[in-house]
Amino acid sequence: MNSNGKKENILTSWKEIAAYLDRDVRTCVRWEQRYGLPIHRLERDSKAKVFAYKDQIDDWLAQRSAVEPARPERKGILRFLSRPVPLVFALGIIAAAAYFLFLRPTGPSDFHIRGSELVIVDGRGRELGHFDTKLAQLETESTYRDHFQEKKRGTDYVPIWPFIVIRDIDGDSRREVLFSTQTTSETRMDTLFCLDDRGNERWHFKTGRELAFGGQSFRREYRVFGFNVDDYDGDGTLEILVLSFHKPDWPCQAVLLDPAGNTEGEYWNAGYIMDGSAGDIDGDGQKELVLSGVNNEYLRGCLAVFKPGQLRGSSPQKDEAYRFAGFGEGGQSTYILFPKSDVFRAMSRFADPVNYFWIHGDGDGITAVTTETQIFYDLDRSLVCRGITLSNTFKGLREKLSLEGRLAFEPDEFYRKILAADLLYYQGGHWLPAPPAVVSAKAQKER
């Protein structure tokens, strides 16, 4: 191709060539290699100084435009599709891109209840699979939604435990579906299922077992009160804490399962366990597992504390009618019975359960709440009572009972001290007025 040698027609560097084409230097180099952009060199070395003629570049651009109306350089998929490829192949690429961007399932995120079936759906509401419980009276979707994903505090400090959780429990980046059967007829409520994202069963856990106390037998008829997923022992992996009650009686089972459904710990309490959580109570850097509820033999609210790996055995009972034969001594480091206040004694002959508690941060103890009277017991890291708060609910109940002539005096600081002194701590077959470690330290000082 002839070109005039006038100075104004010559481009003497990649920078000038790029400026003339309104592109960057790398693009111009690529155009020379791929599309034959007319570039000249004084030497044959690819690194030699380059120059080009404007009129030659203009002719090259005109020829390229005749072959391909679009600009030679495209980005992304537009550049790819500008090449002469078969239409079917191009459409396939577009369909694949659309699938991965808009149509590909995103994994289980939500659910529906359809008759006896659990329907698993993704984040866009598309059905992934289903699991048929074959239970004619499976609970409604609204009930399951009230018990979905996380444990919550309900009214009057009664926890609401999940019946269904969608979460990656084993760390494989795929979410599992944990689902407990709940029915409106109080039958077949005893199983926790772990399902994959298509509703296929991976494992299941059937709660409870046959028991006998003082000549009385209890059939294996239990209901899952709820379950929750957390790292309960601080080992960096998740566990599933499952609470179940006998129907219609009082034996209560707390079980810790690993992500594969294997039992890591099992504990039995003579009365309902209503709350369970883990945290560092005493500032030793380890999580403790705490369970709370009621003990039916003593008719008191209770709270049990377990070090990691110690969830085993049963609650401390004296009466054979409440003693869990064959389960051995409980693994709790502390078991506490809470007092029945005069207000509750005037209201009921039963127990005032501890259905709710929270663990303070920085290993600074725990606060437990009696459900019926809502008395708040603030326990320090040694679990010694350092303060009691009487709620407005308690004060209202007391005022009502006083007007009825059933209670005589108003509570004061001395009243709180009496309540604090009535906490009982179990150790080796005996109930002590202070935690075992505190009693032991005091005894050593007095020697």
Side-chain angles (χ1 to χ4, degrees):
M1 179 185 293
N2 292 326
S3 181
N4 69 68
K6 293 182 179 180
K7 184 176 181 180
E8 60 270 18
N9 188 42
I10 300 176
L11 302 169
T12 60
S13 67
W14 277 117
K15 185 175 181 182
E16 289 185 5
I17 295 168
Y20 185 73
L21 287 168
D22 193 23
R23 295 290 186 274
D24 58 39
V25 171
R26 291 180 62 184
T27 299
C28 295
V29 172
R30 189 162 58 249
W31 285 1
E32 180 199 15
Q33 295 170 348
R34 294 183 181 180
Y35 307 116
L37 177 66
I39 301 297
H40 303 277
R41 291 173 175 81
L42 295 176
E43 301 174 13
R44 293 187 178 182
D45 188 352
S46 61
K47 296 183 179 180
K49 187 175 179 62
V50 299
F51 65 93
Y53 296 104
K54 294 179 182 177
D55 55 357
Q56 289 183 1
I57 289 177
D58 293 340
D59 291 342
W60 177 83
L61 285 172
Q63 291 174 9
R64 292 294 300 174
S65 298
V67 175
E68 181 183 12
R71 290 185 349 196
E73 180 69 11
R74 302 292 179 88
K75 292 185 178 181
I77 194 169
L78 293 178
R79 175 186 169 196
F80 179 80
L81 292 178
S82 69
R83 299 178 183 179
V85 296
L87 177 60
V88 173
F89 181 68
L91 292 176
I93 294 296
I94 294 173
Y99 173 78
F100 280 99
L101 290 174
F102 305 110
L103 301 177
R104 181 170 61 95
T106 58
S109 297
D110 204 354
F111 71 96
H112 298 295
I113 300 296
R114 187 170 59 201
S116 63
E117 291 184 337
L118 167 69
V119 181
I120 301 169
V121 299
D122 69 7
R124 299 187 179 99
R126 292 170 297 194
E127 183 174 332
L128 300 177
H130 60 89
F131 175 72
D132 191 353
T133 67
K134 298 181 172 56
L135 298 175
Q137 294 176 299
L138 189 66
E139 268 289 3
T140 63
E141 183 172 323
S142 62
T143 297
Y144 273 101
R145 291 217 172 272
D146 289 340
H147 297 260
F148 182 39
Q149 287 294 67
E150 295 179 347
K151 181 165 68 80
K152 299 171 286 189
R153 196 194 85 181
T155 58
D156 296 327
Y157 295 96
V158 176
I160 299 174
W161 287 71
F163 294 157
I164 179 169
V165 169
I166 300 175
R167 185 171 177 179
D168 176 14
I169 62 172
D170 55 9
D172 66 350
S173 300
R174 297 171 67 94
R175 292 190 289 270
E176 287 77 36
V177 180
L178 293 169
F179 175 71
S180 69
T181 50
Q182 303 286 330
T183 66
T184 58
S185 64
E186 295 282 327
T187 60
R188 291 292 306 277
M189 303 172 68
D190 57 0
T191 308
L192 172 67
F193 290 93
C194 179
L195 313 172
D196 66 15
D197 55 3
R198 294 297 184 268
N200 301 309
E201 181 182 329
R202 295 183 59 182
W203 53 262
H204 73 270
F205 173 72
K206 187 175 174 62
T207 61
R209 62 179 69 194
E210 292 184 6
L211 298 171
F213 301 88
Q216 182 180 0
S217 297
F218 296 84
R219 290 187 299 274
R220 190 171 185 171
E221 295 178 349
Y222 291 79
R223 61 166 295 184
V224 176
F225 178 61
F227 65 92
N228 201 35
V229 179
D230 196 1
D231 179 6
Y232 283 100
D233 55 12
D235 65 352
T237 60
L238 296 175
E239 291 85 30
I240 305 114
L241 178 62
V242 188
L243 300 184
S244 61
F245 307 148
H246 188 271
K247 301 180 301 183
D249 249 301
W250 48 262
C252 180
Q253 180 192 46
V255 173
L256 210 57
L257 304 175
D258 70 11
N262 301 309
T263 299
E264 290 191 350
E266 178 183 2
Y267 184 78
W268 287 85
N269 189 66
Y272 285 4
I273 296 172
M274 301 294 288
D275 200 6
S277 188
D280 184 6
I281 296 175
D282 53 12
D284 66 352
Q286 280 190 324
K287 277 186 174 183
E288 286 81 32
L289 172 60
V290 183
L291 304 175
S292 73
V294 64
N295 191 296
N296 282 30
E297 177 184 351
Y298 304 106
L299 295 179
R300 288 180 176 232
C302 66
L303 186 144
V305 180
F306 301 85
K307 293 293 185 181
Q310 298 303 305
L311 187 70
R312 65 173 186 269
S314 60
S315 56
Q317 310 298 150
K318 290 187 176 181
D319 190 336
E320 186 181 350
Y322 294 92
R323 196 179 305 137
F324 291 83
F327 286 91
E329 186 77 11
Q332 68 274 342
S333 59
T334 306
Y335 193 100
I336 308 173
L337 294 177
F338 289 78
K340 288 176 66 173
S341 67
D342 57 340
V343 169
F344 190 76
R345 290 178 188 276
M347 292 168 48
S348 171
R349 64 184 181 87
F350 298 106
D352 193 3
V354 176
N355 287 349
Y356 184 76
F357 64 85
W358 67 89
I359 298 171
H360 301 295
D362 302 321
D364 193 30
I366 186 171
T367 293
V369 186
T370 55
T371 305
E372 300 295 332
T373 54
Q374 292 183 21
I375 300 175
F376 294 74
Y377 292 84
D378 181 17
L379 311 180
D380 67 15
R381 61 178 54 189
S382 299
L383 298 177
V384 172
C385 184
R386 63 186 167 193
I388 291 177
T389 299
L390 306 176
S391 68
N392 288 332
T393 297
F394 175 87
K395 293 174 182 177
L397 291 170
R398 186 172 189 91
E399 181 179 2
K400 178 178 180 296
L401 293 169
S402 296
L403 291 173
E404 294 173 355
R406 299 165 67 183
L407 293 176
F409 62 92
E410 289 297 320
D412 54 15
E413 190 59 32
F414 181 67
Y415 178 84
R416 291 181 176 85
K417 289 181 179 178
I418 293 175
L419 286 177
D422 200 21
L423 270 74
L424 295 176
Y425 302 79
Y426 182 77
Q427 174 66 29
H430 303 284
W431 291 100
L432 308 174
V438 174
V439 172
S440 176
K442 183 178 179 182
Q444 288 180 359
K445 276 187 176 181
E446 292 174 349
R447 287 177 182 177

